[in-house]
Amino acid sequence: MLSNNTRSLRIEYKDTQLSNDVLIDLYKSMLKPRMIEEKMLILLRQGKISKWFSGIGQEAISVGVTKSLNKDEYILPMHRNLGVFTSREIPLNRLFAQWQGKASGFTKGRDRSFHFGTQEYKIVGMISHLGPQLGVADGIALAHKLKKEKKLTAVFSGEGGTSEGDFHEALNIASVWDLPVLFCIENNGYGLSTPTSEQYRCKDLADRGAGYGMESHIIEGNNILEVYTKISKIVESVRNEPRPVLIEFKTFRMRGHEEASGTRYVPQELMDEWQLKDPVQNFEEYLLKENILNDDTKEKFRSDILSEIDENLQLAFSEDQIVTDSIKELNDVFENSVYQEFAPKNKNENIRFIDAISKALRESMKKHDDLVLMGQDIADYGGVFKITEGFVEEFGKDRIRNTPICESAVVGAAMGLSINGMKAMVEMQFSDFVSSGFNPIVNYLAKVKYRWDQNADVVIRMPCGGGVGAGPFHSQTNEAWFTQVPGLKVIYPAFPYDAKGLLNTAFNDPNPVLFFEHKGLYRSIRQDVPVDYYTLPFGKASKIREGNEVSIITYGLGVHWAIDVLDEMEYEQADLIDLRSLQPLDIDGICASVTKTSKAIILIEDSVTGSFAAEISAIISERCFESLDAPVIRVGSMDTPIPFAHELEQQYLPKERFKMKLKDLIEY
């Protein structure tokens, strides 16, 4: 029990009705990360660790929040939240090994410091871009809500991170969807060297909650009792009444952004003022004054923690350095996925490309009851292309979710759903708009399996392509943005049969898949397609026509351009290869064709420079050089943005140039 005799202290501790055991536990839980940090600063100067982001002075927040949550509730901390990791009782030898890049850490030496997650301890670490983890928290919380679990998710941000667009997007989604997320802002005065006066103009960041219709609170972040008691009350309420809550913790960073940057930009009087508010020292003095702690016990706690630190450091130091193994490195980029073949039956129906996509979505929704579809206008409206029309009536709004216009946080939410054991699909209304969600795709989804063995079970559908007079921002075919990013699978079908089978496979695959759908094909082609559920393998090209004189390698709308040109020329000696799958790529199929014909022409819709055609050309040159009787030819669109006017767009697209180049190659 606490008295009110705290006026002589720099922090006022009020009576909380907490037991002495709880008070001592809170003290020890703050002392431990403080002592670890003091040790790490010594090791940093000795060159035994490479970098350190100090949380000294902010321990009460990490500890108070973590202790308020249940151990099966996810926390998404930042790089100053050592107290989160120690309060979740992660073995110190593994933490130390992580910081030294050892194999027994959480990333096998692949990422540093606190850039890791662990399902065992329900911690999801940050990436350096800060903002994306806020959307991830939304997805984790959404999964809890859909499973009807009385759980919440806590996610941290510094005050600097609140300037990112991801902050706005994540809070907006959480508010609109009533997600049980605790958004914890550690306002420590500076974003590296930028003071709050140059970061935002509102008086308190908690004031932003009103703009989202969100409950918000300001808490003295250095007061462990205020943090613990207020957060405990809030989280219990949120478990029973799911909703997001914005918390601004007022605190201060007593050391540099990281040790090399120092603190010269901070006025000394400000440092002195906050030094007097040290959360560990003040609470220790209070417990001594209240006779809850005595000097002997205090020293015993310190001695025990120091012994634990030293013993676990020796374990980490004694561990061998990482032994490189290129096979293991490559194998860990993707979650192991065994292709599940479902063979089609004999009954077919003649349907359009767009129907094939819709039917695959519907069948996969039935097969995977944990699959959630998200996108702009996809619910009652059925999407701008009407692909999900009628889905709400069949599957309900919980699983067919309209999203605000915020691609980045929606991709983050999809990642969060995967972390919490569900599947997700995001429909980019147009593939052009993926640029607004680019960061979480290439830096989170693509890297998370390799970094800490967490798969991203996410499909991103990408309606793409030109030829429809839609101009520069609704016509791009931007697959090359992603084909060179390890960790992403990229699929680009040209026919209804392939579209349905490959999309079904995408939902069975536990890895992130970007599924390109040329909107110019949606309603322009038909094909007999099996009525029932079936799958097709990734990484296997389709041979559309057989010939011996030239190999035409293409995908998407390019396949249909090639067919038209071959028919116009009445030319029957071409091997026409429809790649269908760009990552993984059917290299053996490409090389077999080129080795047979000795000539290769690659047709794409994308602009030629820096396109995927360059990669295919390089593969052919490296692997089939001795078989070639002519240069490898690339044909693509002009190196300009896609124009709107019909005449300009036709000039931009490569179909006519392909015809000329093909004739030249045949005659070479």
Side-chain angles (χ1 to χ4, degrees):
M1 298 288 292
L2 304 182
S3 74
N4 287 314
N5 183 25
T6 62
R7 296 296 179 183
S8 62
L9 299 176
R10 303 295 181 177
I11 297 176
E12 181 179 358
Y13 297 105
K14 296 182 179 179
D15 188 356
T16 61
Q17 302 298 310
L18 296 174
S19 69
N20 289 353
D21 287 343
V22 171
L23 298 175
I24 290 295
D25 180 61
L26 292 173
Y27 167 68
K28 290 170 63 179
S29 297
M30 285 198 298
L31 183 61
K32 187 172 184 176
R34 172 65 62 87
M35 292 182 66
I36 291 173
E37 283 219 39
E38 291 170 347
K39 186 70 172 183
M40 292 304 113
L41 294 175
I42 294 172
L43 295 178
L44 183 67
R45 291 192 291 270
Q46 294 174 345
K48 294 181 179 179
I49 58 173
S50 64
K51 209 172 187 68
W52 189 256
F53 296 89
S54 178
I56 287 178
Q58 300 179 208
E59 294 92 346
I61 302 169
S62 297
V63 171
V65 171
T66 306
K67 291 288 185 178
S68 299
L69 268 62
N70 296 327
K71 288 188 176 181
D72 61 352
E73 292 176 316
Y74 284 93
I75 303 180
L76 289 78
M78 298 287 285
H79 46 285
R80 301 190 202 289
N81 296 122
L82 174 58
V84 170
F85 297 84
T86 54
S87 294
R88 281 283 164 97
E89 299 178 350
I90 289 182
L92 293 189
N93 67 298
R94 292 200 67 192
L95 270 182
F96 298 157
Q98 169 66 23
W99 301 338
Q100 294 175 38
K102 300 289 184 68
S104 66
F106 292 89
T107 65
K108 301 179 183 179
R110 294 165 182 166
D111 211 339
R112 66 183 188 182
S113 64
F114 297 101
H115 292 247
F116 71 89
T118 161
Q119 286 283 5
E120 182 179 359
Y121 298 97
K122 292 294 183 286
I123 293 175
V124 179
M126 58 174 287
I127 67 172
S128 296
H129 304 70
L130 308 180
Q133 70 179 33
L134 299 163
V136 173
D138 283 349
I140 294 172
L142 175 60
H144 285 317
K145 188 172 182 179
L146 295 178
K147 296 174 186 177
K148 300 187 180 345
E149 298 171 335
K150 289 189 174 183
K151 297 179 182 179
L152 61 92
T153 302
V155 59
F156 285 82
S157 173
E159 84 289 338
T162 67
S163 296
E164 291 191 297
D166 285 293
F167 177 82
H168 159 74
E169 292 188 14
L171 267 67
N172 193 44
I173 289 175
S175 179
V176 171
W177 290 354
D178 290 320
L179 299 178
V181 182
L182 199 66
F183 292 99
C184 303
I185 304 172
E186 292 181 290
N187 190 341
N188 63 18
Y190 286 84
L192 208 156
S193 69
T194 304
T196 56
S197 61
E198 297 175 18
Q199 194 73 248
Y200 57 86
R201 283 299 175 93
C202 54
K203 179 179 180 293
D204 298 301
L205 289 170
D207 295 342
R208 294 185 180 181
Y212 302 100
M214 185 183 298
E215 174 186 340
S216 64
H217 303 268
I218 297 174
I219 293 178
E220 185 180 353
N222 287 28
N223 186 332
I224 181 60
L225 296 186
E226 183 173 338
V227 173
Y228 178 72
T229 55
K230 288 187 176 181
I231 295 300
S232 294
K233 182 178 180 181
I234 290 168
V235 298
E236 187 59 34
S237 173
V238 170
R239 291 186 189 111
N240 292 295
E241 183 187 344
R243 66 191 188 279
V245 179
L246 178 63
I247 311 290
E248 180 181 6
F249 295 100
K250 300 288 190 178
T251 185
F252 196 75
R253 168 163 56 79
M254 295 303 298
R255 301 190 69 86
H257 168 73
E258 39 78 36
E259 287 305 302
S261 66
T263 58
R264 291 184 180 179
Y265 47 82
V266 182
Q268 187 58 48
E269 58 270 22
L270 194 57
M271 295 289 291
D272 294 342
E273 176 186 341
W274 280 94
Q275 182 63 53
L276 295 174
K277 298 180 181 179
D278 183 292
V280 179
Q281 182 179 346
N282 273 268
F283 195 51
E284 181 181 279
E285 290 177 3
Y286 175 74
L287 295 179
L288 288 169
K289 181 177 291 188
E290 294 294 318
N291 295 317
I292 298 169
L293 179 70
N294 58 51
D295 288 335
D296 290 340
T297 308
K298 180 186 73 171
E299 291 307 314
K300 176 68 164 55
F301 290 159
R302 287 183 173 272
S303 176
D304 289 346
I305 293 172
L306 185 59
S307 294
E308 182 184 4
I309 292 171
D310 289 340
E311 289 171 9
N312 283 276
L313 271 175
Q314 288 307 310
L315 287 174
F317 284 141
S318 64
E319 183 179 345
D320 291 337
Q321 296 296 325
I322 290 283
V323 177
T324 61
D325 185 330
S326 60
I327 300 300
K328 286 183 178 179
E329 291 296 288
L330 291 169
N331 286 343
D332 281 354
V333 172
F334 291 102
E335 178 78 6
N336 184 41
S337 177
V338 178
Y339 169 63
Q340 304 173 53
E341 182 174 3
F342 292 86
K345 296 179 182 177
N346 294 326
K347 186 177 181 181
N348 292 336
E349 57 182 342
N350 191 261
I351 60 175
R352 303 168 299 176
F353 192 107
I354 196 169
D355 303 321
I357 296 293
S358 183
K359 289 177 181 294
L361 287 173
R362 180 173 272 108
E363 291 172 6
S364 291
M365 286 290 288
K366 292 177 180 177
K367 180 176 175 59
H368 305 287
D369 58 10
D370 58 351
L371 172 60
V372 177
L373 309 187
M374 299 183 289
Q376 295 161 27
D377 305 296
I378 70 167
D380 299 288
Y381 189 68
V384 294
F385 298 106
K386 301 301 179 183
I387 288 175
T388 52
E389 191 168 34
F391 277 41
V392 168
E393 290 77 8
E394 187 169 356
F395 302 107
K397 282 196 171 183
D398 278 351
R399 295 180 65 199
I400 312 298
R401 305 188 75 87
N402 278 340
T403 69
I405 302 175
C406 47
E407 287 83 0
S408 185
V410 173
V411 173
M415 181 69 240
L417 284 167
S418 180
I419 287 172
N420 206 356
M422 299 186 72
K423 289 177 173 286
M425 182 224 75
V426 177
E427 177 185 293
M428 292 293 161
Q429 199 167 73
F430 294 88
S431 71
D432 313 66
F433 300 164
V434 76
S435 55
S436 296
F438 190 74
N439 180 32
I441 294 173
V442 302
N443 284 315
Y444 211 124
L445 272 63
K447 295 176 173 62
V448 66
K449 167 62 183 175
Y450 176 77
R451 289 172 54 241
W452 57 275
D453 199 30
Q454 170 63 54
N455 70 300
D457 199 344
V458 178
V459 175
I460 300 178
R461 289 184 41 248
M462 303 277 281
C464 65
V468 294
F473 306 116
H474 294 77
S475 305
Q476 295 175 87
T477 175
N478 45 1
E479 68 279 358
W481 293 2
F482 304 100
T483 50
Q484 66 92 44
V485 179
L488 299 176
K489 297 189 177 183
V490 182
I491 308 300
Y492 202 151
F495 294 96
Y497 175 83
D498 294 336
K500 182 178 176 182
L502 290 168
L503 187 53
N504 282 332
T505 299
F507 286 116
N508 293 338
D509 196 302
N511 295 286
V513 179
L514 280 89
F515 198 91
F516 285 82
E517 307 161 9
H518 200 294
K519 56 187 181 291
L521 299 177
Y522 271 163
R523 294 176 170 85
S524 65
I525 62 167
R526 305 183 72 95
Q527 192 179 27
D528 287 341
V529 176
V531 173
D532 57 317
Y533 181 89
Y534 67 95
T535 58
L536 293 172
F538 289 171
K540 185 66 176 175
S542 173
K543 185 173 288 189
I544 306 301
R545 294 191 180 181
E546 183 91 28
N548 296 308
E549 294 182 356
V550 63
S551 298
I552 301 171
I553 301 155
T554 185
Y555 52 90
L557 187 56
V559 178
H560 299 277
W561 287 334
I563 291 172
D564 290 345
V565 167
L566 291 174
D567 288 345
E568 289 174 19
M569 294 172 56
E570 298 183 346
Y571 184 70
E572 298 180 354
Q573 290 303 314
D575 245 13
L576 177 53
I577 307 298
D578 174 9
L579 292 177
R580 305 190 297 187
S581 172
L582 307 186
Q583 293 290 2
L585 180 65
D586 188 359
I587 295 175
D588 290 342
I590 293 171
C591 291
S593 176
V594 174
T595 300
K596 177 182 70 171
T597 67
S598 299
K599 293 180 180 179
I601 183 169
I602 305 157
L603 172 60
I604 59 167
E605 183 176 341
D606 194 6
S607 297
V608 173
T609 302
S611 67
F612 193 58
E615 180 65 21
I616 300 170
S617 177
I619 290 170
I620 293 171
S621 297
E622 290 175 358
R623 301 195 181 206
C624 309
F625 181 76
E626 294 182 354
S627 300
L628 291 174
D629 289 339
V632 178
I633 304 300
R634 296 174 297 146
V635 185
S637 294
M638 294 173 62
D639 285 336
T640 71
I642 306 176
F644 157 67
H646 176 74
E647 295 78 8
L648 293 176
E649 187 176 32
Q650 290 306 303
Q651 174 184 253
Y652 166 86
L653 294 170
K655 184 176 180 180
E656 291 304 315
R657 289 189 296 280
F658 168 71
K659 185 175 182 179
M660 292 186 293
K661 292 285 189 179
L662 178 60
K663 287 180 178 179
D664 291 343
L665 183 60
I666 292 170
E667 296 170 0
Y668 186 88

